[in-house]
Short mmCIF file of all heavy atoms in Angstrom, two decimals:
data_model
loop_
_atom_site.label_atom_id
_atom_site.label_comp_id
_atom_site.label_asym_id
_atom_site.label_seq_id
_atom_site.Cartn_x
_atom_site.Cartn_y
_atom_site.Cartn_z
N PHE A 1439 15.59 -17.65 -13.98
CA PHE A 1439 15.96 -17.69 -12.57
C PHE A 1439 17.30 -18.39 -12.44
O PHE A 1439 17.48 -19.50 -12.95
CB PHE A 1439 14.94 -18.50 -11.76
CG PHE A 1439 13.71 -17.75 -11.36
CD1 PHE A 1439 12.64 -17.62 -12.23
CD2 PHE A 1439 13.60 -17.20 -10.10
CE1 PHE A 1439 11.49 -16.95 -11.86
CE2 PHE A 1439 12.46 -16.52 -9.71
CZ PHE A 1439 11.40 -16.40 -10.60
N GLN A 1440 18.25 -17.75 -11.76
CA GLN A 1440 19.48 -18.44 -11.39
C GLN A 1440 19.11 -19.44 -10.29
O GLN A 1440 18.06 -19.31 -9.64
CB GLN A 1440 20.51 -17.43 -10.89
CG GLN A 1440 20.89 -16.40 -11.93
CD GLN A 1440 21.60 -17.02 -13.13
OE1 GLN A 1440 22.67 -17.55 -13.00
NE2 GLN A 1440 20.97 -16.93 -14.29
N GLU A 1441 19.95 -20.43 -10.05
CA GLU A 1441 19.64 -21.49 -9.10
C GLU A 1441 19.28 -20.94 -7.71
O GLU A 1441 18.30 -21.37 -7.10
CB GLU A 1441 20.83 -22.44 -9.00
CG GLU A 1441 20.56 -23.66 -8.15
CD GLU A 1441 21.72 -24.64 -8.16
OE1 GLU A 1441 22.57 -24.57 -9.07
OE2 GLU A 1441 21.76 -25.46 -7.24
N ARG A 1442 20.07 -20.01 -7.23
CA ARG A 1442 19.81 -19.42 -5.91
C ARG A 1442 18.44 -18.75 -5.86
O ARG A 1442 17.68 -18.92 -4.91
CB ARG A 1442 20.90 -18.42 -5.56
CG ARG A 1442 20.58 -17.59 -4.34
CD ARG A 1442 21.60 -16.51 -4.14
NE ARG A 1442 21.09 -15.51 -3.21
CZ ARG A 1442 21.73 -14.42 -2.89
NH1 ARG A 1442 22.90 -14.18 -3.39
NH2 ARG A 1442 21.20 -13.57 -2.07
N ALA A 1443 18.11 -17.97 -6.86
CA ALA A 1443 16.84 -17.26 -6.90
C ALA A 1443 15.67 -18.24 -6.94
O ALA A 1443 14.64 -18.02 -6.28
CB ALA A 1443 16.79 -16.32 -8.09
N GLN A 1444 15.82 -19.31 -7.71
CA GLN A 1444 14.75 -20.32 -7.78
C GLN A 1444 14.53 -20.95 -6.41
O GLN A 1444 13.39 -21.13 -5.97
CB GLN A 1444 15.08 -21.39 -8.82
CG GLN A 1444 13.94 -22.37 -9.04
CD GLN A 1444 12.72 -21.71 -9.66
OE1 GLN A 1444 12.81 -21.14 -10.74
NE2 GLN A 1444 11.58 -21.79 -9.00
N TYR A 1445 15.62 -21.27 -5.72
CA TYR A 1445 15.52 -21.84 -4.38
C TYR A 1445 14.82 -20.86 -3.44
O TYR A 1445 13.92 -21.24 -2.68
CB TYR A 1445 16.91 -22.21 -3.84
CG TYR A 1445 16.86 -22.59 -2.39
CD1 TYR A 1445 16.47 -23.88 -2.00
CD2 TYR A 1445 17.16 -21.67 -1.38
CE1 TYR A 1445 16.39 -24.22 -0.67
CE2 TYR A 1445 17.08 -22.01 -0.05
CZ TYR A 1445 16.69 -23.28 0.31
OH TYR A 1445 16.58 -23.62 1.64
N GLU A 1446 15.23 -19.60 -3.46
CA GLU A 1446 14.63 -18.59 -2.57
C GLU A 1446 13.14 -18.41 -2.86
O GLU A 1446 12.33 -18.30 -1.94
CB GLU A 1446 15.36 -17.26 -2.73
CG GLU A 1446 16.77 -17.28 -2.20
CD GLU A 1446 17.58 -16.06 -2.59
OE1 GLU A 1446 17.23 -15.37 -3.58
OE2 GLU A 1446 18.58 -15.79 -1.90
N PHE A 1447 12.80 -18.38 -4.14
CA PHE A 1447 11.39 -18.24 -4.52
C PHE A 1447 10.58 -19.44 -4.03
O PHE A 1447 9.52 -19.28 -3.42
CB PHE A 1447 11.26 -18.09 -6.04
CG PHE A 1447 9.84 -18.11 -6.51
CD1 PHE A 1447 9.03 -17.00 -6.35
CD2 PHE A 1447 9.31 -19.24 -7.10
CE1 PHE A 1447 7.70 -17.02 -6.78
CE2 PHE A 1447 7.99 -19.28 -7.52
CZ PHE A 1447 7.18 -18.16 -7.37
N ASP A 1448 11.08 -20.64 -4.29
CA ASP A 1448 10.38 -21.86 -3.86
C ASP A 1448 10.24 -21.91 -2.35
O ASP A 1448 9.18 -22.26 -1.82
CB ASP A 1448 11.11 -23.11 -4.36
CG ASP A 1448 11.06 -23.27 -5.86
OD1 ASP A 1448 10.22 -22.63 -6.53
OD2 ASP A 1448 11.88 -24.06 -6.39
N ASP A 1449 11.31 -21.55 -1.65
CA ASP A 1449 11.30 -21.57 -0.19
C ASP A 1449 10.27 -20.58 0.36
O ASP A 1449 9.49 -20.90 1.28
CB ASP A 1449 12.70 -21.24 0.34
CG ASP A 1449 12.83 -21.42 1.83
OD1 ASP A 1449 12.51 -22.53 2.32
OD2 ASP A 1449 13.25 -20.47 2.51
N ALA A 1450 10.23 -19.38 -0.19
CA ALA A 1450 9.26 -18.37 0.26
C ALA A 1450 7.84 -18.80 -0.06
O ALA A 1450 6.93 -18.65 0.78
CB ALA A 1450 9.57 -17.02 -0.39
N THR A 1451 7.63 -19.36 -1.24
CA THR A 1451 6.30 -19.82 -1.62
C THR A 1451 5.83 -20.92 -0.67
O THR A 1451 4.67 -20.91 -0.23
CB THR A 1451 6.30 -20.32 -3.08
OG1 THR A 1451 6.76 -19.26 -3.93
CG2 THR A 1451 4.91 -20.74 -3.54
N ASP A 1452 6.72 -21.84 -0.34
CA ASP A 1452 6.38 -22.91 0.61
C ASP A 1452 6.06 -22.33 1.98
O ASP A 1452 5.12 -22.77 2.64
CB ASP A 1452 7.52 -23.92 0.73
CG ASP A 1452 7.71 -24.75 -0.52
OD1 ASP A 1452 6.81 -24.78 -1.39
OD2 ASP A 1452 8.79 -25.39 -0.63
N TRP A 1453 6.87 -21.36 2.43
CA TRP A 1453 6.65 -20.75 3.74
C TRP A 1453 5.26 -20.12 3.81
O TRP A 1453 4.52 -20.32 4.77
CB TRP A 1453 7.73 -19.71 4.02
CG TRP A 1453 7.69 -19.18 5.41
CD1 TRP A 1453 8.34 -19.68 6.50
CD2 TRP A 1453 6.96 -18.03 5.88
NE1 TRP A 1453 8.06 -18.93 7.62
CE2 TRP A 1453 7.21 -17.90 7.27
CE3 TRP A 1453 6.11 -17.11 5.27
CZ2 TRP A 1453 6.66 -16.90 8.04
CZ3 TRP A 1453 5.56 -16.10 6.05
CH2 TRP A 1453 5.83 -16.00 7.41
N TYR A 1454 4.90 -19.36 2.78
CA TYR A 1454 3.57 -18.74 2.75
C TYR A 1454 2.47 -19.79 2.64
O TYR A 1454 1.43 -19.67 3.28
CB TYR A 1454 3.47 -17.72 1.61
CG TYR A 1454 4.13 -16.41 1.93
CD1 TYR A 1454 5.28 -16.00 1.26
CD2 TYR A 1454 3.62 -15.56 2.91
CE1 TYR A 1454 5.90 -14.79 1.56
CE2 TYR A 1454 4.23 -14.35 3.22
CZ TYR A 1454 5.36 -13.98 2.54
OH TYR A 1454 5.96 -12.79 2.86
N ARG A 1455 2.69 -20.84 1.86
CA ARG A 1455 1.70 -21.90 1.69
C ARG A 1455 1.41 -22.60 3.01
O ARG A 1455 0.26 -22.98 3.28
CB ARG A 1455 2.14 -22.93 0.65
CG ARG A 1455 1.05 -23.95 0.33
CD ARG A 1455 1.45 -24.97 -0.73
NE ARG A 1455 1.80 -24.30 -1.98
CZ ARG A 1455 3.04 -24.30 -2.51
NH1 ARG A 1455 4.04 -24.91 -1.92
NH2 ARG A 1455 3.26 -23.67 -3.64
N ASP A 1456 2.44 -22.77 3.85
CA ASP A 1456 2.24 -23.39 5.16
C ASP A 1456 1.31 -22.55 6.03
O ASP A 1456 0.72 -23.07 6.98
CB ASP A 1456 3.58 -23.58 5.89
CG ASP A 1456 4.44 -24.68 5.29
OD1 ASP A 1456 3.91 -25.48 4.48
OD2 ASP A 1456 5.64 -24.72 5.62
N ARG A 1457 1.19 -21.29 5.74
CA ARG A 1457 0.35 -20.39 6.53
C ARG A 1457 -0.98 -20.11 5.86
O ARG A 1457 -2.00 -19.98 6.51
CB ARG A 1457 1.09 -19.08 6.80
CG ARG A 1457 2.15 -19.26 7.88
CD ARG A 1457 3.45 -18.57 7.58
NE ARG A 1457 4.45 -18.93 8.57
CZ ARG A 1457 5.24 -20.00 8.48
NH1 ARG A 1457 5.12 -20.82 7.46
NH2 ARG A 1457 6.13 -20.27 9.40
N SER A 1458 -0.95 -20.01 4.53
CA SER A 1458 -2.16 -19.68 3.78
C SER A 1458 -1.94 -19.93 2.29
O SER A 1458 -1.00 -19.37 1.70
CB SER A 1458 -2.51 -18.20 4.01
OG SER A 1458 -3.42 -17.73 3.03
N LYS A 1459 -2.81 -20.73 1.71
CA LYS A 1459 -2.71 -20.99 0.27
C LYS A 1459 -2.86 -19.69 -0.52
O LYS A 1459 -2.14 -19.44 -1.48
CB LYS A 1459 -3.77 -22.00 -0.16
CG LYS A 1459 -3.71 -22.34 -1.62
CD LYS A 1459 -4.78 -23.34 -2.02
CE LYS A 1459 -4.68 -23.58 -3.52
NZ LYS A 1459 -5.80 -24.34 -4.02
N LEU A 1460 -3.77 -18.84 -0.07
CA LEU A 1460 -4.00 -17.57 -0.75
C LEU A 1460 -2.77 -16.67 -0.67
O LEU A 1460 -2.38 -16.04 -1.67
CB LEU A 1460 -5.21 -16.85 -0.15
CG LEU A 1460 -5.58 -15.52 -0.80
CD1 LEU A 1460 -5.88 -15.69 -2.29
CD2 LEU A 1460 -6.77 -14.90 -0.07
N ALA A 1461 -2.13 -16.61 0.50
CA ALA A 1461 -0.90 -15.80 0.64
C ALA A 1461 0.18 -16.30 -0.31
O ALA A 1461 0.88 -15.50 -0.95
CB ALA A 1461 -0.41 -15.83 2.07
N SER A 1462 0.33 -17.61 -0.41
CA SER A 1462 1.32 -18.19 -1.31
C SER A 1462 1.03 -17.82 -2.76
O SER A 1462 1.93 -17.43 -3.51
CB SER A 1462 1.32 -19.72 -1.14
OG SER A 1462 2.22 -20.31 -2.03
N GLU A 1463 -0.22 -17.93 -3.14
CA GLU A 1463 -0.61 -17.58 -4.51
C GLU A 1463 -0.38 -16.09 -4.78
O GLU A 1463 0.09 -15.71 -5.85
CB GLU A 1463 -2.07 -17.94 -4.75
CG GLU A 1463 -2.31 -19.44 -4.80
CD GLU A 1463 -3.78 -19.82 -4.79
OE1 GLU A 1463 -4.66 -18.92 -4.64
OE2 GLU A 1463 -4.07 -21.03 -4.90
N ASN A 1464 -0.72 -15.25 -3.81
CA ASN A 1464 -0.53 -13.81 -3.98
C ASN A 1464 0.95 -13.44 -4.06
O ASN A 1464 1.34 -12.56 -4.84
CB ASN A 1464 -1.21 -13.03 -2.86
CG ASN A 1464 -2.71 -13.03 -3.00
OD1 ASN A 1464 -3.25 -13.23 -4.09
ND2 ASN A 1464 -3.41 -12.81 -1.90
N PHE A 1465 1.79 -14.12 -3.27
CA PHE A 1465 3.23 -13.88 -3.34
C PHE A 1465 3.76 -14.23 -4.73
O PHE A 1465 4.45 -13.42 -5.37
CB PHE A 1465 3.96 -14.70 -2.27
CG PHE A 1465 5.45 -14.63 -2.39
CD1 PHE A 1465 6.14 -13.49 -2.02
CD2 PHE A 1465 6.17 -15.71 -2.88
CE1 PHE A 1465 7.52 -13.41 -2.14
CE2 PHE A 1465 7.54 -15.64 -3.01
CZ PHE A 1465 8.22 -14.50 -2.63
N ALA A 1466 3.43 -15.43 -5.19
CA ALA A 1466 3.90 -15.86 -6.52
C ALA A 1466 3.40 -14.91 -7.61
O ALA A 1466 4.16 -14.53 -8.51
CB ALA A 1466 3.45 -17.29 -6.80
N LYS A 1467 2.15 -14.50 -7.50
CA LYS A 1467 1.58 -13.59 -8.49
C LYS A 1467 2.34 -12.26 -8.51
O LYS A 1467 2.68 -11.76 -9.58
CB LYS A 1467 0.10 -13.35 -8.16
CG LYS A 1467 -0.60 -12.43 -9.12
CD LYS A 1467 -2.07 -12.28 -8.73
CE LYS A 1467 -2.78 -11.31 -9.63
NZ LYS A 1467 -4.19 -11.14 -9.24
N GLU A 1468 2.64 -11.72 -7.32
CA GLU A 1468 3.35 -10.44 -7.28
C GLU A 1468 4.77 -10.57 -7.82
O GLU A 1468 5.25 -9.69 -8.55
CB GLU A 1468 3.38 -9.85 -5.86
CG GLU A 1468 4.02 -8.47 -5.87
CD GLU A 1468 3.89 -7.70 -4.58
OE1 GLU A 1468 3.21 -8.17 -3.64
OE2 GLU A 1468 4.48 -6.61 -4.50
N VAL A 1469 5.44 -11.67 -7.50
CA VAL A 1469 6.79 -11.88 -8.04
C VAL A 1469 6.75 -11.91 -9.56
O VAL A 1469 7.53 -11.22 -10.24
CB VAL A 1469 7.43 -13.16 -7.46
CG1 VAL A 1469 8.71 -13.51 -8.23
CG2 VAL A 1469 7.73 -13.00 -5.98
N PHE A 1470 5.82 -12.69 -10.14
CA PHE A 1470 5.79 -12.81 -11.59
C PHE A 1470 5.30 -11.54 -12.28
O PHE A 1470 5.77 -11.21 -13.37
CB PHE A 1470 5.01 -14.05 -12.02
CG PHE A 1470 5.82 -15.30 -11.83
CD1 PHE A 1470 5.52 -16.19 -10.81
CD2 PHE A 1470 6.92 -15.57 -12.63
CE1 PHE A 1470 6.28 -17.33 -10.62
CE2 PHE A 1470 7.70 -16.69 -12.44
CZ PHE A 1470 7.38 -17.58 -11.43
N GLN A 1471 4.39 -10.81 -11.65
CA GLN A 1471 3.99 -9.51 -12.21
C GLN A 1471 5.19 -8.55 -12.21
O GLN A 1471 5.38 -7.79 -13.16
CB GLN A 1471 2.84 -8.91 -11.41
CG GLN A 1471 1.52 -9.58 -11.68
CD GLN A 1471 0.40 -9.06 -10.79
OE1 GLN A 1471 0.63 -8.50 -9.72
NE2 GLN A 1471 -0.83 -9.27 -11.24
N SER A 1472 5.97 -8.60 -11.16
CA SER A 1472 7.17 -7.76 -11.07
C SER A 1472 8.16 -8.12 -12.16
O SER A 1472 8.73 -7.24 -12.81
CB SER A 1472 7.82 -7.91 -9.69
OG SER A 1472 6.93 -7.50 -8.69
N ILE A 1473 8.36 -9.41 -12.35
CA ILE A 1473 9.30 -9.86 -13.39
C ILE A 1473 8.81 -9.44 -14.76
O ILE A 1473 9.60 -9.01 -15.61
CB ILE A 1473 9.54 -11.37 -13.28
CG1 ILE A 1473 10.32 -11.68 -12.00
CG2 ILE A 1473 10.27 -11.90 -14.52
CD1 ILE A 1473 10.43 -13.16 -11.66
N ASP A 1474 7.50 -9.53 -15.00
CA ASP A 1474 6.96 -9.08 -16.29
C ASP A 1474 7.26 -7.60 -16.52
O ASP A 1474 7.67 -7.20 -17.61
CB ASP A 1474 5.45 -9.31 -16.36
CG ASP A 1474 5.08 -10.76 -16.55
OD1 ASP A 1474 5.95 -11.58 -16.93
OD2 ASP A 1474 3.89 -11.10 -16.30
N LEU A 1475 7.08 -6.79 -15.48
CA LEU A 1475 7.36 -5.36 -15.58
C LEU A 1475 8.85 -5.11 -15.79
O LEU A 1475 9.25 -4.30 -16.64
CB LEU A 1475 6.87 -4.64 -14.32
CG LEU A 1475 6.96 -3.13 -14.31
CD1 LEU A 1475 6.22 -2.51 -15.50
CD2 LEU A 1475 6.38 -2.59 -13.01
N ILE A 1476 9.68 -5.83 -15.05
CA ILE A 1476 11.13 -5.71 -15.22
C ILE A 1476 11.53 -6.04 -16.64
O ILE A 1476 12.33 -5.33 -17.26
CB ILE A 1476 11.87 -6.63 -14.22
CG1 ILE A 1476 11.71 -6.11 -12.79
CG2 ILE A 1476 13.35 -6.75 -14.60
CD1 ILE A 1476 12.11 -7.12 -11.72
N CYS A 1477 10.97 -7.10 -17.20
CA CYS A 1477 11.34 -7.52 -18.56
C CYS A 1477 10.93 -6.50 -19.62
O CYS A 1477 11.56 -6.42 -20.67
CB CYS A 1477 10.73 -8.89 -18.86
SG CYS A 1477 11.56 -10.24 -17.99
N LYS A 1478 9.90 -5.72 -19.34
CA LYS A 1478 9.48 -4.69 -20.29
C LYS A 1478 10.40 -3.48 -20.25
O LYS A 1478 10.63 -2.85 -21.28
CB LYS A 1478 8.04 -4.26 -19.99
CG LYS A 1478 7.03 -5.33 -20.34
CD LYS A 1478 5.64 -4.91 -19.96
CE LYS A 1478 4.68 -6.06 -20.24
NZ LYS A 1478 3.38 -5.85 -19.62
#
Side-chain angles (χ1 to χ4, degrees):
F1439 278 84
Q1440 300 295 296
E1441 186 175 341
R1442 170 187 164 183
Q1444 186 66 58
Y1445 171 81
E1446 291 169 338
F1447 173 77
D1448 292 344
D1449 188 55
T1451 303
D1452 291 345
W1453 188 89
Y1454 281 112
R1455 187 178 301 115
D1456 288 346
R1457 284 138 187 87
S1458 163
K1459 181 180 178 190
L1460 182 59
S1462 177
E1463 290 170 355
N1464 287 338
F1465 173 74
K1467 181 179 177 181
E1468 185 170 355
V1469 169
F1470 284 107
Q1471 286 175 338
S1472 299
I1473 291 171
D1474 286 344
L1475 186 56
I1476 291 166
C1477 287
K1478 289 177 185 167

